[in-house]
Every structure is written in structure tokens, then in C-alpha cells.
Amino acid sequence: MFSKRIFETDFTTALNEELERRNMTVKELAEQTGIPASTLYKVTLGERDPRLSTVKKIVAVLEPERHRFIAVIAAKFLLDSFTTREVESRGQKFAVRGYSAHSLEECIVAAARAEKDGASGIICAPILASIVEKIVDVPVGMLRPELSCVDEAITAVLKKVG
């Protein structure tokens, strides 16, 4: 993820790596961003520090907002009943993408995969959230069952008990 890589290394290195990964030329990036090619060449050579407006234009091209999504990690039956596929916050739209998991190990793998896929945030069970927060660099939220769900589960177990 380009925007994350910017903070792990310097901007010039991250930009050059991303251009190479995409097999994209500076000229192509200039055409897509509207930034003069001469400016971008100076940035890629480390001769000039980019302005914030320049960084924003580059990130907008290399990480378009349409790919933003929130990952929900849950059992398949819960994901199948979930109807929300897109949410909006502060004028930005986010897709909602499900990651099926049925064990603690699968949940941890799903969280790592969601972050690698570019998730803007992850939602998971409360028992898992504290673990996931330690392994990902995106916000983590918790699924909290409604009391009626807990009551139904208690009733179902009592029927089996006796």
C-alpha cells in the first residue's frame, strides 16, 4: 500500500518503488496527476521535496478512493445475512467487504489479509479485537451482539440442557 509505505521510508523511495511495481513511467504519472513531468522527475530523483498538494494528487492516482473499504470478519452465516454493502462518512464512500472466519486462527489470518488488501478499517468480534489491534495498522471496531441475540442463545442452550 503506497500511502502506508510513505511513512515506512521516505517519499522518494516509496514513489519510485510504486512506479516500478506498477511499471509506470514518470510521464504517465504526470499525465494522470496533472503535475508537470519536470516536477515529478525532481521528486523521484530526490532533488525536490513535494508539496502537500502534490502528494495528495499522487496518492489520489495511485490509491483511488473507490477502493476504500471496511472489512467485516465474521462467520459466513452472519456475513450472508448482512445487507449493507456501502457506507458513507464525511462525504466519502466505503465499500463493506466480508471476510469469513470460523476459528481464532482464521480470524487473525483474515485481519492480516484485509489489511494487505487495503482495508481502511476492520470490524470483528470483541474477543478478537484486542489481538487484531496489535497486528494491524488500521482502526479496529467491535461487533457487539444485541441482548436479544444473547437471550435467544441462552434459551436455545437451556432447551438442550434439559
Side-chain angles (χ1 to χ4, degrees), residues 27-159:
K27 184 178 179 183
E28 291 169 332
L29 182 62
E31 290 169 1
Q32 292 181 32
T33 59
I35 300 168
S38 60
T39 300
L40 288 175
Y41 278 113
K42 290 175 184 173
V43 170
T44 60
L45 294 172
E47 295 175 2
R48 172 187 258 180
D49 287 331
R51 287 197 238 158
L52 181 58
S53 60
T54 301
V55 172
K56 285 181 176 182
K57 288 177 184 177
I58 292 169
V59 170
V61 166
L62 297 180
E63 289 183 8
E65 288 185 22
R66 68 179 176 271
H67 296 297
R68 290 185 166 191
F69 70 94
I70 303 298
V72 177
I73 301 170
K76 185 167 179 10
F77 78 89
L78 182 60
L79 294 174
D80 288 345
S81 64
F82 193 69
T83 57
T84 305
R85 296 292 170 217
E86 187 175 83
V87 292
E88 189 171 333
S89 175
R90 297 182 219 152
Q92 295 183 354
K93 291 185 179 182
F94 293 82
V96 177
R97 189 183 302 176
Y99 286 78
S100 179
H102 298 283
S103 69
L104 183 61
E105 292 83 8
E106 287 180 4
C107 289
I108 292 169
V109 169
R113 190 172 71 241
E115 183 182 37
K116 183 179 178 185
D117 290 347
S120 298
I122 297 173
I123 298 171
C124 58
I127 197 165
L128 181 66
S130 63
I131 296 168
V132 171
E133 285 177 328
K134 293 175 184 172
I135 63 172
V136 298
D137 292 323
V138 296
V140 176
M142 291 186 274
L143 284 173
R144 295 187 183 171
E146 294 181 17
L147 286 179
S148 62
C149 295
V150 176
D151 290 340
E152 288 174 23
I154 290 170
T155 302
V157 168
L158 287 174
K159 286 180 183 177

Side-chain angles (χ1 to χ4, degrees), residues 1-6 11 14-15 18 58-59 62-63:
M1 180 181 223
F2 175 64
S3 59
K4 183 178 175 184
R5 185 75 178 125
I6 291 170
F11 184 82
L15 178 58
E18 188 66 17
I58 292 169
V59 170
L62 297 180
E63 289 183 8

